[in-house]
Amino acid sequence: MKIRPYSSISGYSALTAGALGLACAAGMLAAAPPGPPPGQPVRAAATAASALAPSDTAATAKLVPQDAVLYVELSRPSEILDRFVTPDMLDRLDSVPQIRQFKQSDQFTQLRGVVTYLETKLGTDWRSALRELTAGGVALAVQPGPPTNALLVVRARDAQVLERTHKALVDLIEADAKQKGNPSPVKSREYKGVTAWSLGPNEFHAILGDTLVFCSHQDGMKKVLEMRAGEGSAALTELAGWREAHDRVPAGSAGWAFVRLDAVRQAGAAGPLYAEKSDNPAAALFLGGLPHLLARAPYAVAVATLDDQHLGVRLELPKSDAWPEAYHGFYASEPGHEAALPLHPARTIASLSFYRDIKAIWDVRDQLVTPQVLPRFTELEANVGKILFGGREFGDVLGEFEPRFRIVAATQDYSRAKNVPEIKVPAFALVLELKHPEEFATELVISYNSIIGLANLGLGQQNQPRLIVTSEQHKGFTIQGARFFDRAAGQSAEAASHIRYNFSPACSAAGRYFVIGSTIDVVKDVLDALGDVHAPPQTTPDNVVLEIDGAAALQALAQNHEPLVRQNMLQEGHTREQAEQQINTLLALARLFNAGEVRWTAAPGNMHVDLSIKYQGLPPRKVATP
């Protein structure tokens, strides 16, 4: 097979070189009708999609050669279209300045012209066209090179819909070329009993009944057609790892992805991700054995679920062996009792809870980090253990902490503040659980006062306001705090609004817990949220839990609108208008989400991360009736 595409594609033909559905998808931003025309209800397309059950979508993978290292499948694209491409969502996107600007451009006018043309030729609106064209699912695969080939498989409702759409696009491209006095860029050849087409450089496709196959390289298309004819490469579905991953995908999933980690490792790609000894101590502490699994797992799988309120994604690695001793400090010995329930004090933006036995991890540090990093631990031991804890061995100090840690971030209330900083930083607090609170809490208070003293020495040398140590009671708990000097007579407004006034570092011992915060108020709020301070915390089966409140995060960003604009102007060299456009885009996107959650779990047979996003204000799906 030899297809020689035209060297340049102009006008409308350029819009179709990547995928036949691209022109229709452009209509998402257009002022298109909100629903299908009379006589063509959404229900018909939804029924057709449901008739192609998830088990049937393995047919798309049968057209993907076994050497693919990445396979991504959307089982029900129409559900994504119905939930996200709604008039309400399009109105929200119109608030993004870049989108508004694009809709005023000549390129958008061309795109809209293509959409209108296709709607007329197909006798339907673009939403219905997309539902028809993708009713059986969409799959993307990547084959390593050289040359690297991207392969896209699209299953339509039936062959007739696909042929009509293809003919309409070909007619459009040829008419555009003729109008401009150029040769037609459309080329076709027969190969293995199939007509293969090309609309331009790096675009090759073929129609196989109700299925459309795109390739970015000619050899990739040849391999697909040869495999279909029973020659050459075996299909991805014959790979044991793919079948095992496919079996892990629950019914009703919106989509899933498969990555051949064995092939990635053999290619020598992404080596640092699966290096068991890290040159970054923080990464070694946080990743908790992930590189160990990445170095051994044959594959990784991701699954997406979708409903009217949530988008969920699970990332999973299979695990067959027990954890080596070096990783015992990362996971609880008793299953189901890992991280504590996250805390939610007032005005919480984010709440993080995780399990780490830092004493056990410290003892095997030479197995987790590279030799070049070990001197940092020696320095840490000398500075922290001896200076802040009266010469105690640092390992003994770490052994005083229970393995469950909680961190919260919250917006601040400046309504009673004498000095209001221009840049408003959220307050942070760390909650420690102590094994011997009666003795060790006192040592932590002494260490806190030592740190404040050292900070004041440094501030004095820099001629900066120092901290005044305070002590106050809150619901029976003593809070040790420190505040910067209030604004003195003659102090400039700039100094009074300094970023330092976001901080009033504080700590408090409360039963079995010790709370350290960036402000006195956040320590009070955390003490209120702890409940019974003498009881162990309720635990979860998850190793790490992160919860985010979208409304509170948006408030924190909105509080800093003006400083963010000025910072953007200074760092990026933008005009004020450009800077405001970027910041307003960030805020507009933030308004789309209400809450988020991440749960990292080490189960007996796998390690998985669950991500969940809750939409804000999206209306439920509406299905038209005849």
Side-chain angles (χ1 to χ4, degrees):
M1 178 180 68
K2 183 74 171 174
I3 301 177
R4 300 183 61 185
Y6 187 64
S7 60
S8 64
I9 306 177
S10 61
Y12 296 132
S13 61
L15 305 175
T16 58
L20 291 179
L22 180 60
C24 291
M28 295 182 200
L29 302 177
Q40 297 184 26
V42 174
R43 175 175 292 177
T47 302
S50 62
L52 294 163
S55 59
D56 295 337
T57 60
T60 58
K62 291 179 180 178
L63 293 171
V64 177
Q66 197 173 97
D67 63 349
V69 295
L70 171 67
Y71 176 83
V72 181
E73 178 184 301
L74 294 180
S75 309
R76 295 184 174 91
S78 60
E79 291 189 6
I80 299 174
L81 181 68
D82 291 343
R83 288 189 170 97
F84 289 103
V85 189
T86 64
D88 178 76
M89 179 60 77
L90 297 181
D91 288 343
R92 290 171 183 263
L93 291 176
D94 279 342
S95 67
V96 178
Q98 283 85 347
I99 291 181
R100 289 202 307 269
Q101 183 178 355
F102 172 68
K103 291 180 72 171
Q104 298 170 359
S105 67
D106 292 339
Q107 185 182 10
F108 179 78
T109 301
Q110 287 187 340
L111 286 171
R112 190 169 180 179
V114 172
V115 171
T116 302
Y117 169 84
L118 290 175
E119 287 180 328
T120 302
K121 295 289 288 185
L122 299 176
T124 186
D125 67 284
W126 63 267
R127 287 182 179 86
S128 297
L130 279 178
R131 291 189 187 95
E132 297 283 289
L133 288 170
T134 62
V138 177
L140 171 69
V142 176
Q143 297 168 263
T148 300
N149 179 57
L151 188 154
L152 181 68
V153 182
V154 182
R155 290 187 69 198
R157 177 178 60 82
D158 57 41
Q160 185 179 7
V161 169
L162 196 53
E163 289 287 356
R164 287 174 56 211
T165 306
H166 186 262
K167 184 177 187 307
L169 284 169
V170 169
D171 289 346
L172 174 65
I173 293 169
E174 291 185 331
D176 178 68
K178 183 176 181 181
Q179 182 181 12
K180 292 179 169 60
N182 296 326
S184 171
V186 179
K187 307 296 179 185
S188 65
R189 294 288 187 275
E190 293 293 320
Y191 189 73
K192 300 297 180 183
V194 176
T195 302
W197 298 77
S198 176
L199 304 181
N202 302 320
E203 189 284 318
F204 306 88
H205 69 270
I207 297 176
L208 308 174
D210 64 356
T211 303
L212 182 66
V213 180
F214 288 96
C215 289
S216 63
H217 195 274
Q218 181 170 288
D219 288 342
M221 179 57 67
K222 290 178 63 177
K223 182 178 285 190
V224 170
L225 297 182
E226 289 168 357
M227 186 178 66
R228 180 177 178 271
E231 306 171 8
S233 174
L236 185 63
T237 52
E238 297 181 30
L239 190 69
W242 186 93
R243 293 197 301 270
E244 181 181 325
H246 185 260
D247 290 342
R248 290 176 180 264
V249 180
S253 300
W256 71 289
F258 168 79
V259 181
R260 288 189 56 187
L261 294 179
D262 53 355
V264 172
R265 292 192 297 267
Q266 290 172 10
L273 289 179
Y274 46 85
E276 296 203 35
K277 289 191 175 184
S278 174
D279 57 3
N280 185 328
L285 179 65
F286 176 75
L287 293 178
L290 178 60
H292 174 79
L293 283 188
L294 288 173
R296 288 160 177 78
Y299 63 85
V301 62
V303 179
T305 57
L306 188 66
D307 60 32
D308 293 329
Q309 296 290 326
H310 299 85
L311 168 65
V313 177
R314 168 169 286 199
L315 309 174
E316 184 174 319
L317 289 170
K319 174 180 171 291
S320 56
D321 302 326
W323 289 109
E325 184 178 354
Y327 300 101
H328 287 182
F330 292 94
Y331 307 102
S333 58
E334 185 179 355
H337 297 281
E338 300 269 351
L341 285 176
L343 291 169
H344 296 95
R347 302 178 301 279
T348 296
I349 299 173
S351 185
L352 173 67
S353 179
F354 58 93
Y355 182 101
R356 291 292 184 271
D357 186 338
I358 53 176
K359 171 62 165 63
I361 295 171
W362 174 265
D363 289 343
V364 296
R365 57 192 181 276
D366 59 330
Q367 300 179 49
L368 300 174
V369 299
T370 59
Q372 294 81 358
V373 175
L374 287 175
R376 300 186 201 174
F377 289 88
T378 304
E379 182 180 353
L380 180 66
E381 183 173 22
N383 292 335
V384 176
K386 295 181 180 179
I387 296 176
L388 296 181
F389 292 95
R392 287 187 65 176
E393 292 293 330
F394 191 56
D396 292 342
V397 172
L398 297 180
E400 293 286 348
F401 299 105
E402 294 284 2
R404 296 176 182 89
F405 299 83
R406 288 179 281 186
I407 299 173
V408 297
T411 57
Q412 297 199 49
D413 180 4
Y414 296 94
S415 60
R416 294 172 297 169
K418 295 182 180 179
N419 295 319
V420 178
E422 181 183 26
I423 299 176
K424 298 172 178 62
V425 179
F428 296 87
L430 169 65
V431 180
L432 306 170
E433 187 182 357
L434 308 181
K435 293 179 180 178
H436 307 102
E438 298 83 3
E439 301 87 12
F440 192 61
T442 302
E443 288 196 49
L444 289 174
V445 171
I446 295 172
S447 298
Y448 162 82
N449 283 305
S450 299
I451 293 173
I452 296 299
L454 292 172
N456 275 333
L457 287 175
L459 291 169
Q461 290 175 350
Q462 298 173 21
N463 197 29
Q464 297 293 320
R466 289 170 292 172
L467 292 158
I468 303 175
V469 177
T470 66
S471 179
E472 58 184 277
Q473 296 293 312
H474 178 75
K475 296 183 179 180
F477 302 113
T478 300
I479 299 178
Q480 304 288 332
R483 299 181 184 275
F484 284 100
F485 285 113
D486 290 335
R487 181 180 179 183
Q491 186 180 22
S492 67
E494 181 180 356
S497 61
H498 194 276
I499 194 172
R500 71 173 68 93
Y501 291 108
N502 283 291
F503 304 99
S504 55
C507 68
S508 179
R512 64 189 294 127
Y513 301 102
F514 193 84
V515 182
I516 307 170
S518 63
T519 70
I520 295 172
D521 286 342
V522 77
V523 171
K524 293 178 179 179
D525 292 337
V526 169
L527 291 174
D528 293 341
L530 276 173
D532 185 353
V533 297
H534 299 289
Q538 290 183 277
T539 57
T540 72
D542 309 302
N543 191 249
V544 180
V545 182
L546 172 64
E547 298 175 346
I548 299 174
D549 186 304
L554 179 62
Q555 180 185 358
L557 289 172
Q559 282 182 332
N560 290 286
H561 183 273
E562 182 60 26
L564 287 172
V565 169
R566 287 205 298 269
Q567 183 182 34
N568 185 281
M569 294 171 63
L570 180 64
Q571 293 184 351
E572 305 295 334
H574 289 160
T575 64
R576 182 173 186 84
E577 181 180 2
Q578 291 171 327
E580 287 181 339
Q581 190 177 73
Q582 282 201 354
I583 301 305
N584 290 338
T585 297
L586 177 65
L587 295 176
L589 293 175
R591 290 189 187 97
L592 297 176
F593 305 103
N594 189 42
E597 182 180 86
V598 179
R599 292 182 177 271
W600 183 324
T601 308
N606 65 75
M607 175 185 279
H608 59 265
V609 178
D610 290 315
L611 301 93
S612 176
I613 296 175
K614 184 177 180 180
Y615 323 127
Q616 185 179 46
L618 283 181
R621 285 189 304 161
K622 295 182 179 180
V623 179
T625 56

Coordinates of all heavy atoms in Angstrom, one line a residue, residues 437-500:
P437 N 2.2 11.3 75.7 CA 1.9 12.8 75.7 C 2.2 13.5 77.0 O 2.6 14.7 77.0 CB 0.3 12.8 75.5 CG -0.2 11.4 75.9 CD 1.0 10.5 75.6
E438 N 2.2 12.8 78.2 CA 2.4 13.5 79.4 C 3.8 14.0 79.5 O 4.1 15.1 80.0 CB 2.2 12.5 80.6 CG 0.8 12.0 80.8 CD 0.5 10.8 79.8 OE1 1.5 10.3 79.1 OE2 -0.6 10.3 79.8
E439 N 4.8 13.3 79.0 CA 6.2 13.7 79.0 C 6.6 14.5 77.7 O 7.2 15.5 77.8 CB 7.2 12.5 79.2 CG 6.9 11.7 80.5 CD 5.9 10.6 80.3 OE1 5.5 10.3 79.2 OE2 5.4 10.1 81.3
F440 N 6.3 13.9 76.6 CA 6.8 14.4 75.3 C 6.2 15.7 74.9 O 6.8 16.6 74.2 CB 6.7 13.4 74.2 CG 7.5 13.7 73.0 CD1 8.9 13.9 73.1 CD2 6.9 13.9 71.8 CE1 9.6 14.2 72.0 CE2 7.6 14.3 70.7 CZ 9.0 14.4 70.7
A441 N 4.9 16.0 75.3 CA 4.3 17.2 74.9 C 5.0 18.4 75.5 O 5.2 19.5 74.8 CB 2.8 17.3 75.4
T442 N 5.6 18.3 76.7 CA 6.3 19.4 77.3 C 7.6 19.6 76.5 O 8.0 20.8 76.3 CB 6.7 19.0 78.8 OG1 5.5 18.8 79.5 CG2 7.5 20.2 79.4
E443 N 8.3 18.6 76.0 CA 9.5 18.8 75.2 C 9.1 19.5 73.9 O 9.9 20.3 73.4 CB 10.1 17.4 74.9 CG 10.8 16.7 76.1 CD 11.7 15.6 75.6 OE1 12.5 15.8 74.7 OE2 11.6 14.5 76.2
L444 N 8.0 19.2 73.4 CA 7.6 19.9 72.1 C 7.3 21.4 72.4 O 7.6 22.2 71.5 CB 6.3 19.2 71.5 CG 6.5 17.8 70.9 CD1 5.2 17.2 70.5 CD2 7.5 17.9 69.7
V445 N 6.7 21.7 73.5 CA 6.5 23.1 73.8 C 7.8 23.8 74.0 O 8.0 25.0 73.5 CB 5.6 23.2 75.1 CG1 5.6 24.7 75.6 CG2 4.2 22.7 74.9
I446 N 8.8 23.2 74.6 CA 10.1 23.8 74.8 C 10.8 24.0 73.4 O 11.4 25.0 73.1 CB 11.0 22.9 75.7 CG1 10.5 22.8 77.1 CG2 12.5 23.4 75.7 CD1 11.2 21.8 78.0
S447 N 10.6 23.0 72.5 CA 11.2 23.1 71.2 C 10.5 24.3 70.4 O 11.2 25.0 69.7 CB 11.0 21.8 70.4 OG 11.7 20.8 71.1
Y448 N 9.2 24.4 70.6 CA 8.5 25.5 70.0 C 9.1 26.9 70.4 O 9.4 27.8 69.6 CB 7.0 25.4 70.3 CG 6.2 26.7 70.1 CD1 5.8 27.1 68.8 CD2 6.0 27.6 71.1 CE1 5.1 28.3 68.6 CE2 5.3 28.8 70.9 CZ 4.9 29.1 69.7 OH 4.2 30.3 69.5
N449 N 9.3 27.0 71.7 CA 9.8 28.3 72.3 C 11.2 28.5 71.8 O 11.6 29.7 71.5 CB 9.7 28.3 73.8 CG 8.3 28.6 74.3 OD1 7.7 29.6 74.0 ND2 7.8 27.7 75.1
S450 N 12.0 27.4 71.6 CA 13.4 27.6 71.1 C 13.3 28.1 69.7 O 14.2 29.0 69.3 CB 14.1 26.2 71.2 OG 14.2 25.8 72.5
I451 N 12.4 27.6 68.9 CA 12.3 28.0 67.5 C 11.9 29.5 67.4 O 12.5 30.2 66.6 CB 11.3 27.1 66.7 CG1 11.8 25.7 66.6 CG2 11.0 27.7 65.3 CD1 10.9 24.7 66.0
I452 N 11.0 29.9 68.2 CA 10.6 31.3 68.3 C 11.7 32.2 68.6 O 12.0 33.3 68.1 CB 9.4 31.5 69.2 CG1 8.1 30.8 68.7 CG2 9.1 33.0 69.4 CD1 7.6 31.2 67.4
G453 N 12.5 31.7 69.6 CA 13.7 32.5 70.0 C 14.7 32.6 68.9 O 15.3 33.7 68.7
L454 N 15.0 31.5 68.2 CA 15.9 31.6 67.0 C 15.4 32.5 65.9 O 16.1 33.2 65.3 CB 16.1 30.2 66.5 CG 16.9 29.2 67.4 CD1 16.9 27.8 66.9 CD2 18.3 29.7 67.6
A455 N 14.0 32.4 65.7 CA 13.4 33.3 64.7 C 13.6 34.8 65.1 O 13.9 35.6 64.2 CB 12.0 32.9 64.5
N456 N 13.4 35.1 66.3 CA 13.6 36.5 66.7 C 15.0 37.0 66.6 O 15.2 38.2 66.2 CB 13.1 36.6 68.2 CG 11.6 36.9 68.3 OD1 11.0 37.4 67.4 ND2 11.0 36.5 69.4
L457 N 16.0 36.1 66.8 CA 17.4 36.5 66.6 C 17.6 36.9 65.1 O 18.2 37.9 64.8 CB 18.3 35.4 67.0 CG 18.5 35.1 68.5 CD1 19.3 33.9 68.7 CD2 19.1 36.3 69.2
G458 N 17.1 36.0 64.2 CA 17.2 36.3 62.8 C 16.5 37.6 62.4 O 17.0 38.4 61.6
L459 N 15.2 37.8 62.9 CA 14.5 39.0 62.5 C 15.1 40.2 63.1 O 15.2 41.2 62.4 CB 13.1 38.8 63.1 CG 12.2 37.8 62.5 CD1 10.9 37.5 63.3 CD2 11.8 38.2 61.1
G460 N 15.7 40.1 64.3 CA 16.4 41.3 64.8 C 17.6 41.7 64.0 O 17.9 42.9 63.8
Q461 N 18.4 40.7 63.6 CA 19.5 41.0 62.7 C 19.2 41.6 61.4 O 19.9 42.4 60.8 CB 20.3 39.7 62.5 CG 21.0 39.1 63.7 CD 21.7 37.8 63.4 OE1 21.4 37.2 62.4 NE2 22.5 37.3 64.4
Q462 N 17.9 41.4 60.9 CA 17.5 41.9 59.7 C 16.7 43.2 59.9 O 16.1 43.7 58.9 CB 16.6 40.9 58.9 CG 17.4 39.6 58.5 CD 16.5 38.6 58.0 OE1 15.4 38.9 57.5 NE2 17.0 37.3 58.0
N463 N 16.6 43.7 61.1 CA 15.9 44.9 61.5 C 14.4 44.7 61.1 O 13.8 45.7 60.6 CB 16.5 46.1 60.8 CG 16.0 47.4 61.4 OD1 15.7 47.4 62.6 ND2 15.9 48.5 60.6
Q464 N 13.8 43.5 61.3 CA 12.4 43.3 61.1 C 11.7 43.1 62.4 O 12.2 42.8 63.4 CB 12.3 42.0 60.3 CG 12.9 42.0 58.9 CD 12.2 42.9 58.0 OE1 11.0 43.0 58.0 NE2 13.0 43.6 57.2
P465 N 10.4 43.4 62.4 CA 9.6 43.2 63.6 C 9.7 41.8 64.1 O 9.7 40.8 63.4 CB 8.1 43.5 63.1 CG 8.3 44.4 61.9 CD 9.5 43.9 61.2
R466 N 9.8 41.7 65.5 CA 10.0 40.4 66.1 C 8.6 39.9 66.6 O 7.6 40.6 66.6 CB 11.0 40.5 67.2 CG 12.4 40.7 66.6 CD 13.4 41.0 67.7 NE 13.2 42.3 68.3 CZ 13.8 42.8 69.4 NH1 14.7 42.0 70.0 NH2 13.6 44.0 69.8
L467 N 8.7 38.7 67.2 CA 7.5 38.0 67.7 C 7.4 38.2 69.2 O 8.4 38.0 69.9 CB 7.5 36.5 67.3 CG 7.4 36.2 65.8 CD1 7.9 34.8 65.5 CD2 5.9 36.3 65.4
I468 N 6.2 38.5 69.7 CA 5.9 38.5 71.1 C 5.3 37.2 71.5 O 4.2 36.8 71.0 CB 5.0 39.7 71.5 CG1 5.6 41.0 70.9 CG2 4.7 39.7 72.9 CD1 4.7 42.2 71.1
V469 N 5.8 36.5 72.5 CA 5.3 35.2 72.9 C 4.1 35.5 73.8 O 4.1 36.4 74.7 CB 6.4 34.4 73.7 CG1 5.8 33.1 74.2 CG2 7.5 34.1 72.8
T470 N 3.0 34.7 73.6 CA 1.8 34.9 74.3 C 1.3 33.5 74.8 O 1.8 32.5 74.4 CB 0.6 35.5 73.4 OG1 0.3 34.5 72.4 CG2 1.1 36.8 72.8
S471 N 0.4 33.5 75.8 CA -0.2 32.3 76.3 C -1.6 32.6 76.6 O -2.0 33.6 77.2 CB 0.5 31.8 77.5 OG -0.1 30.6 78.0
E472 N -2.5 31.7 76.1 CA -4.0 31.9 76.4 C -4.7 30.6 76.5 O -4.2 29.5 76.1 CB -4.6 32.8 75.3 CG -4.5 32.2 73.9 CD -5.1 33.1 72.8 OE1 -6.3 33.1 72.7 OE2 -4.3 33.9 72.2
Q473 N -5.9 30.6 77.1 CA -6.7 29.4 77.3 C -7.8 29.4 76.3 O -8.4 30.4 75.9 CB -7.3 29.4 78.7 CG -6.2 29.4 79.8 CD -5.5 28.0 79.8 OE1 -6.1 27.0 79.8 NE2 -4.2 28.1 79.9
H474 N -8.0 28.1 75.8 CA -9.2 27.9 74.9 C -9.8 26.6 75.3 O -9.3 25.5 75.0 CB -8.7 27.9 73.4 CG -9.8 27.6 72.5 ND1 -10.7 28.6 72.1 CD2 -10.1 26.5 71.7 CE1 -11.6 28.0 71.2 NE2 -11.2 26.8 71.0
K475 N -11.0 26.7 75.9 CA -11.8 25.5 76.2 C -11.0 24.5 77.1 O -11.0 23.3 76.8 CB -12.4 24.9 75.0 CG -13.4 25.8 74.3 CD -14.0 25.1 73.1 CE -15.0 26.0 72.4 NZ -15.6 25.4 71.2
G476 N -10.2 25.1 78.0 CA -9.4 24.2 78.9 C -8.0 23.9 78.4 O -7.3 23.2 79.1
F477 N -7.7 24.3 77.2 CA -6.4 24.0 76.6 C -5.5 25.2 76.6 O -6.0 26.3 76.3 CB -6.5 23.4 75.2 CG -7.3 22.2 75.1 CD1 -8.5 22.2 74.4 CD2 -7.0 21.0 75.7 CE1 -9.3 21.1 74.3 CE2 -7.7 19.9 75.6 CZ -8.9 19.9 74.9
T478 N -4.2 25.0 76.9 CA -3.3 26.2 76.9 C -2.7 26.3 75.5 O -2.2 25.3 75.0 CB -2.2 26.0 77.9 OG1 -2.8 25.9 79.3 CG2 -1.2 27.1 77.9
I479 N -2.8 27.4 74.9 CA -2.2 27.7 73.6 C -1.0 28.6 73.8 O -1.1 29.7 74.3 CB -3.2 28.3 72.7 CG1 -4.4 27.4 72.5 CG2 -2.6 28.6 71.3 CD1 -5.5 27.9 71.6
Q480 N 0.2 28.1 73.4 CA 1.4 28.9 73.3 C 1.4 29.6 71.9 O 1.3 28.9 70.9 CB 2.6 28.1 73.5 CG 2.6 27.3 74.8 CD 2.9 28.1 76.0 OE1 3.5 29.2 75.9 NE2 2.3 27.7 77.2
G481 N 1.5 30.9 71.9 CA 1.5 31.6 70.6 C 2.5 32.7 70.5 O 3.2 33.0 71.5
A482 N 2.6 33.3 69.4 CA 3.5 34.4 69.1 C 2.9 35.3 68.1 O 2.4 34.8 67.0 CB 4.9 33.9 68.7
R483 N 2.9 36.6 68.3 CA 2.4 37.6 67.4 C 3.4 38.6 67.0 O 4.2 39.0 67.9 CB 1.1 38.3 67.9 CG 0.0 37.3 68.3 CD -1.2 38.2 68.8 NE -2.3 37.3 69.3 CZ -3.3 36.8 68.5 NH1 -3.3 37.1 67.2 NH2 -4.2 36.1 69.0
F484 N 3.3 39.1 65.8 CA 4.2 40.2 65.4 C 3.7 41.5 66.1 O 2.5 41.7 66.4 CB 4.2 40.4 63.9 CG 5.1 39.4 63.2 CD1 4.5 38.3 62.6 CD2 6.4 39.5 63.1 CE1 5.2 37.3 61.9 CE2 7.2 38.5 62.5 CZ 6.6 37.4 61.9
F485 N 4.6 42.5 66.3 CA 4.3 43.7 66.8 C 3.1 44.3 66.0 O 3.1 44.3 64.8 CB 5.5 44.7 66.7 CG 6.5 44.5 67.8 CD1 7.8 44.0 67.4 CD2 6.3 44.6 69.1 CE1 8.8 43.8 68.3 CE2 7.3 44.4 70.1 CZ 8.5 44.0 69.7
D486 N 2.2 45.0 66.7 CA 1.1 45.7 66.0 C 1.7 46.9 65.4 O 2.8 47.4 65.7 CB 0.0 46.1 67.0 CG -0.8 44.9 67.5 OD1 -0.8 43.9 66.8 OD2 -1.3 45.0 68.6
R487 N 0.9 47.5 64.5 CA 1.4 48.6 63.7 C 1.7 49.8 64.7 O 0.8 50.2 65.5 CB 0.4 49.1 62.7 CG 0.8 50.3 61.9 CD -0.3 50.7 60.9 NE 0.1 51.8 60.1 CZ -0.7 52.4 59.2 NH1 -1.9 51.9 59.0 NH2 -0.2 53.5 58.6
A488 N 2.9 50.3 64.6 CA 3.3 51.4 65.5 C 3.1 52.7 64.8 O 2.9 52.8 63.6 CB 4.8 51.2 65.9
A489 N 3.0 53.8 65.6 CA 2.8 55.1 65.1 C 3.9 55.4 64.1 O 5.1 55.2 64.4 CB 2.8 56.1 66.2
G490 N 3.5 56.0 63.0 CA 4.5 56.3 61.9 C 4.9 55.2 61.0 O 5.6 55.4 60.1
Q491 N 4.4 54.0 61.3 CA 4.7 52.8 60.4 C 3.9 53.0 59.1 O 2.7 53.4 59.1 CB 4.2 51.5 61.1 CG 4.6 50.3 60.3 CD 4.2 49.0 61.0 OE1 3.3 49.0 61.8 NE2 4.9 47.9 60.7
S492 N 4.5 52.7 58.0 CA 3.9 52.9 56.7 C 2.8 51.9 56.5 O 2.8 50.8 57.1 CB 4.9 52.8 55.6 OG 5.4 51.4 55.5
A493 N 1.8 52.3 55.6 CA 0.7 51.3 55.3 C 1.3 50.1 54.7 O 0.7 49.0 54.9 CB -0.3 52.0 54.4
E494 N 2.4 50.2 53.9 CA 3.0 49.1 53.2 C 3.5 48.1 54.3 O 3.3 46.9 54.1 CB 4.1 49.5 52.3 CG 4.7 48.4 51.6 CD 5.9 48.8 50.6 OE1 6.1 50.0 50.5 OE2 6.5 48.0 50.0
A495 N 4.1 48.6 55.3 CA 4.6 47.7 56.4 C 3.5 47.1 57.1 O 3.6 45.9 57.5 CB 5.5 48.5 57.3
A496 N 2.4 47.8 57.3 CA 1.3 47.3 58.1 C 0.5 46.2 57.3 O -0.2 45.4 57.9 CB 0.3 48.4 58.4
S497 N 0.7 46.1 56.0 CA 0.0 45.1 55.2 C 1.0 44.0 54.7 O 0.7 43.3 53.8 CB -0.6 45.8 54.0 OG 0.3 46.4 53.1
H498 N 2.1 43.9 55.4 CA 3.1 43.0 55.1 C 2.6 41.5 55.2 O 1.7 41.2 56.0 CB 4.4 43.1 56.0 CG 5.6 42.4 55.5 ND1 5.8 41.1 55.7 CD2 6.6 42.9 54.7 CE1 7.0 40.8 55.2 NE2 7.5 41.8 54.6
I499 N 3.2 40.6 54.4 CA 2.7 39.3 54.4 C 2.9 38.6 55.8 O 2.3 37.6 56.1 CB 3.4 38.5 53.3 CG1 2.8 37.1 53.0 CG2 4.9 38.3 53.6 CD1 3.3 36.4 51.8
R500 N 3.8 39.1 56.6 CA 4.1 38.5 57.9 C 2.9 38.5 58.8 O 2.8 37.6 59.7 CB 5.2 39.3 58.6 CG 4.8 40.6 59.1 CD 5.9 41.3 60.0 NE 7.0 41.7 59.2 CZ 7.2 42.8 58.6 NH1 6.3 43.8 58.8 NH2 8.3 43.1 58.0

